[in-house]
Structure formats: C-alpha cells, structure tokens
Amino acid sequence: MFQTRTREAIETQYQAAKAGYAALGVDTDAALDTLAATPISLHCWQGDDVRGFEVHEEAVGGGGIMATGNYPGPALTPAQLRADAEKAFSLIPGALRFNLHAIYAETGGKAVERDRLGPEHFQAWMAWSTSRGICLDFNPTFFAHPLANDGYTLSHPDPDVRAFWVRHAIACRRIAEAMGRNQKGPCYLNHWIPDGAKDQPIDRWSPRRHLLESLDAMMAADVDTAYCRDAVESKLFGIGSEDYVVGSHEFYLAYVMTHDPMLCLDMGHFHPTETIHDKISSVLTFQKELLLHVSRGIRWDSDHVVILNDDIRCLFQQIVRGKALERTHVALDFFDASINRIGAWVVGTRAAQKGILLALLEPTDLLADLESSGRAAAKLALLEELKTFPAGAVWDMFCLQQDVPVGTAWIDAMQDYDRDVIRRR
Ligand code: RNT
Ligand code: ZN
C-alpha cells in the first residue's frame, strides 16, 4: 500500500537536513547516537488489554483498570504475547526494554497466589529477554484480584489484607532483583495501587497512614536495590475512585523526598488539562532519578495511545534541556483494545522517540543565548521556524540505521501481520 524510498533518497534528504541543523550549531549525528542509547520500556499490557495469564480459582473483579474495545486477536498465551512483542520490536528503532506485570507469571497451569510468586515463574520471560538482548522491567499487580475488590489494597483498613499485599510487593521486589541479576543491570519496579473512593470518604487520613506503613514494610525487605529499582506512581483519580485516591501526587512526592524509591510520573494521572513537563525540573532538582509513564490522557481516560503532541514535545524538551535524559527512565503506559495492538505499540513508541529526537535537535544554547541577551522576539521566531525544520529526514535516517522500516513502510508490515496472524487466532 505504501511506497518505500530508496536508501539513496533517504541519505540525500538526511544530508540536506544535517546541513540545515548544523547551521544552527546542532549535530544531527550526535542526536542520533543519543537517541539510539536511550532505551524505551515497552509495556507488555498493550498486547492483551491488561489480562495477564493468571490461573484463577475464583472470579476476579476489575479494580481500577479498564481497557475498552473489541479488536480481534489479543495475545492470550505467553507465546502469542512474545511473538506480538517481537513483531513490534521489528518495527521500532532504537533500544528497547520490556515491562512485565506480576499477572504475566507463567505458573504451568496451576493457581499461584500473588504473595507466592517467585523468580521461577518468570524464567521463560528472563530466558526470552536474554535471547533478545533486552532488559526487563516489572510491576506488582495490585488490581484484578478478590482482595482488591473493596477498592483498597496496601491502604486497606484490615491489617490482614494489607499484609497480603505487602507480601506480594516483596515477592515482586525479589523477582525484580532476579531479573536485574539476570540482565546484569537494574530492573525498574513500579508500584501503582488503585486505592481510593468514589465519593467523599469521611476518613481521608487513615488510608494514607496505612499506605505509609505498608510501603515502609515492603521497602524494608532484604532486596538488592542495585538490581531492584523501586518507583511509586501517583494518580489524581480513577474509574470508581473519582473523589479520593490514597496515593496522590503530594503523598508520593513527600514519600520519595524522605525514602529511597524514585517517583513515577504518569502523564495521564493529573487534572485533565494538567501537564507534567513543568514538574521535571522541580522533581529532579531534589531527586537523583525519575521514572516516566509516557501516556496520553483524554477526558476521563489516562491511557490513550501516545502521539507526537505538544505534551510529548514539551516533556522531552525539559528533560533534554536539563541534561537529564540519563536520570530519566522512559516507560510507556497506554492500552487501546479498539485497534490493532501491535499498531498501538508501534505508533506510541515511535511517537515517544520522535519527541526525544525533536528535543535533541533543538539548538538549545542558541535559544538560551537569545533569551539571556533580551532578544525575546528572535527566540520566539526561532522556536516557530524550528517546527518546520526537516526533523522527519533525521528520523528516517534513524530508522534506516537501526534497520527497521522507514516512514510509512511499517504500516504495511503491521497490516500483513494483522491479516496473516492476528485475524487467524
Ligand atoms: C494505572 C497506572 C499503572 C497501570 C499499569 C498497568 O492508572 O497508570 O501504571 O497502567 O501498571
Ligand atoms: Zn502508569
């Protein structure tokens, strides 16, 4: 359906773009090297609408997470999910990681409670990641479980329920540690809980006190934090927790200021018009590192497929301008069950990477110079002119260098797989 361009045409266009950026003092080759060295953590849950492979003995509730849409062919087995992820990898340039949730354990058809999970249930994932040369990241699953049906987990009023979830978190910290050892580097473990209330809880205090106690108990476990790098993720509201979320931004910001884990900022977890780019310089003035959940909030949904919008551009501008790319861990978090799921993965990942590239192609020193010398109109003019600079030719060169389809060509590969694999499931 789409024409592919020749290598010569792509290279010629790149050379012209390179000269245009060089005239502003921007080294496009260096930008491509930095982009290639910036890993993006691809979230497994886009592949199966956050279902997982857990074997249940009793019915589970939803618990704060919902994927909408009925597109055919979600991955229903580990083999299908790995095959689909590999298809996505083949269409995405640059370095990737793969982000698993506890519900993706492989337990050989047996029901294993979440507080009993161990590294042995992730052996196949680890072997696969080693063979693919990618690192794994991990998440405890504090939702879709009978003990999450009250809407509270780590902050539940019942100490036994809290203890169960603390044991789950510790089990996951040990799994992340094992993944880290296996990949000889950190595994980022993100803790997100759905805890909250639909309408005006009288007591907004006790759940937060309980959450603090639970977090402290989890983090006290003997786990090597060189391998298991914990993060805590805040949220303003969710479906069924519109009025109150225990793990709010203020709660976790205060927690990371006084404890070891890092903060996770999810782009869809704030007021519907609130963006996160202006939080980066505040958080990283005090914190060593930061985890991002790159996503797209739209109205009540926090997890639409990422596209190259101003939120993404401004986010990576702040990170690159602050020279904070190495201190920021970029993970994706969106799920759309209404379109081809591999297409969703690839669109979102390529959009995030384009956002990083645009920031790397900015003549930041020149802009800062115009600003500090009082030439504000020239600064504004340059920012506007940059919007139509040939960044696309640099992006195409990146795809060529990384040996993935250039430009629209990947859309054909995705549609072929849709026809030949997804719709035959
Ligand atoms: C939910 C959070 C969380 C989840 C994943 C599946 O609102 O964003 O990060 O999306 O853990
Ligand atoms: Zn998230």
Side-chain angles (χ1 to χ4, degrees):
M1 183 173 170
F2 294 103
Q3 279 186 338
T4 51
R5 276 173 293 147
T6 63
R7 172 175 279 270
E8 290 67 38
I10 295 160
E11 276 167 358
T12 305
Q13 284 168 344
Y14 175 69
Q15 291 307 328
K18 179 176 167 163
Y21 280 105
L24 296 176
V26 174
D27 181 344
T28 52
D29 291 334
L32 290 181
D33 289 345
T34 305
L35 187 59
T38 305
I40 310 277
S41 191
L42 199 70
H43 53 313
C44 76
W45 51 92
Q46 168 59 70
D48 75 333
D49 318 331
V50 213
R51 286 168 220 246
F53 307 123
E54 217 169 37
V55 180
H56 297 292
E57 277 165 0
E58 46 184 316
V60 291
I65 280 252
M66 189 169 74
T68 53
N70 298 304
Y71 200 83
L76 296 179
T77 64
Q80 286 179 351
L81 188 55
R82 288 193 269 269
D84 289 359
E86 289 192 20
K87 190 71 209 176
F89 296 165
S90 74
L91 305 175
I92 300 168
L96 294 175
R97 303 172 65 92
F98 200 63
N99 199 2
L100 291 167
H101 242 276
I103 49 172
Y104 292 82
E106 292 174 75
T107 58
K110 286 201 292 287
V112 175
E113 249 318 341
R114 290 193 196 166
D115 58 346
R116 297 281 163 138
L117 289 170
E120 65 275 19
H121 302 119
F122 290 87
Q123 280 310 330
W125 282 114
M126 285 190 252
W128 175 74
S129 75
T130 307
S131 73
R132 297 285 318 175
I134 56 167
C135 294
L136 295 176
D137 295 317
F138 198 48
N139 303 257
T141 310
F142 296 104
F143 52 83
H145 188 280
L147 288 181
N149 282 348
D150 293 341
Y152 291 88
T153 62
L154 290 176
S155 71
H156 199 284
D158 180 342
D160 291 341
V161 176
R162 294 202 299 277
F164 171 82
W165 289 112
V166 167
R167 288 196 304 276
H168 174 56
I170 293 172
C172 289
R173 297 189 71 219
R174 300 225 157 94
I175 294 164
E177 180 187 41
M179 288 175 172
R181 280 189 206 287
N182 182 59
Q183 61 208 25
K184 301 183 179 59
C187 169
Y188 296 95
L189 179 72
N190 181 55
H191 303 272
W192 174 74
I193 58 167
D195 300 30
K198 188 181 179 85
D199 210 5
Q200 303 178 66
I202 300 305
D203 181 5
R204 303 174 90 97
W205 291 68
S206 311
R208 291 194 168 127
R209 187 165 43 77
H210 289 142
L211 177 55
L212 174 59
E213 285 167 15
S214 295
L215 289 170
D216 283 350
M218 289 150 50
M219 300 305 166
D222 183 22
V223 172
D224 189 341
T225 53
Y227 293 115
C228 170
R229 307 284 306 124
D230 297 280
V232 285
E233 179 183 8
S234 68
K235 192 166 183 171
L236 179 67
F237 68 92
I239 300 168
S241 61
E242 289 82 1
D243 189 77
Y244 173 65
V245 163
V246 183
S248 61
H249 180 51
E250 294 74 12
F251 181 91
Y252 283 129
L253 191 58
Y255 188 79
V256 300
M257 289 302 298
T258 48
H259 297 74
D260 288 338
M262 73 185 92
L263 191 66
C264 171
L265 289 176
D266 184 309
M267 295 176 75
H269 283 192
F270 294 85
H271 281 280
T273 57
E274 186 177 357
T275 50
I276 67 162
H277 64 269
D278 196 33
K279 303 181 193 303
I280 305 298
S281 52
S282 296
V283 172
L284 284 178
T285 293
F286 293 92
Q287 293 276 295
K288 281 213 278 298
E289 48 189 342
L290 173 68
L291 178 62
L292 293 179
H293 270 189
V294 177
S295 187
R296 175 166 55 113
I298 176 161
R299 307 194 192 282
W300 54 265
D301 178 49
S302 64
D303 302 286
H304 269 53
V305 177
V306 168
I307 56 174
L308 183 58
N309 57 14
D310 279 353
D311 292 352
I312 294 291
R313 290 165 9 94
C314 292
L315 171 65
F316 289 112
Q317 269 172 4
Q318 283 309 305
I319 294 166
V320 170
R321 287 179 190 168
K323 302 191 179 5
L325 206 46
E326 284 177 9
R327 298 199 280 147
T328 309
H329 312 294
V330 183
L332 304 173
D333 184 14
F334 51 80
F335 32 98
D336 188 336
S338 75
I339 59 174
N340 177 294
R341 294 169 183 80
I342 289 141
W345 258 329
V346 180
V347 168
T349 315
R350 287 172 73 120
Q353 291 172 314
K354 284 179 194 167
I356 299 172
L357 178 62
L358 286 177
L360 292 168
L361 291 175
E362 183 186 85
T364 308
D365 292 344
L366 179 54
L367 286 162
D369 191 45
L370 292 173
E371 181 168 85
S372 62
S373 59
R375 287 174 284 175
K379 180 190 79 176
L380 191 60
L382 180 52
L383 283 170
E384 284 304 293
E385 290 304 323
L386 284 167
K387 288 180 180 170
T388 47
F389 258 54
V394 184
W395 168 253
D396 288 347
M397 178 49 102
F398 186 57
C399 293
L400 187 70
Q401 284 177 351
Q402 299 282 324
D403 208 16
V404 302
V406 176
T408 48
W410 76 267
I411 303 171
D412 283 335
M414 183 258 295
Q415 295 194 134
D416 290 348
Y417 190 78
D418 189 75
R419 185 192 56 236
D420 299 340
V421 179
I422 297 292
R423 287 179 181 273
R424 292 190 184 176
R425 283 190 177 147

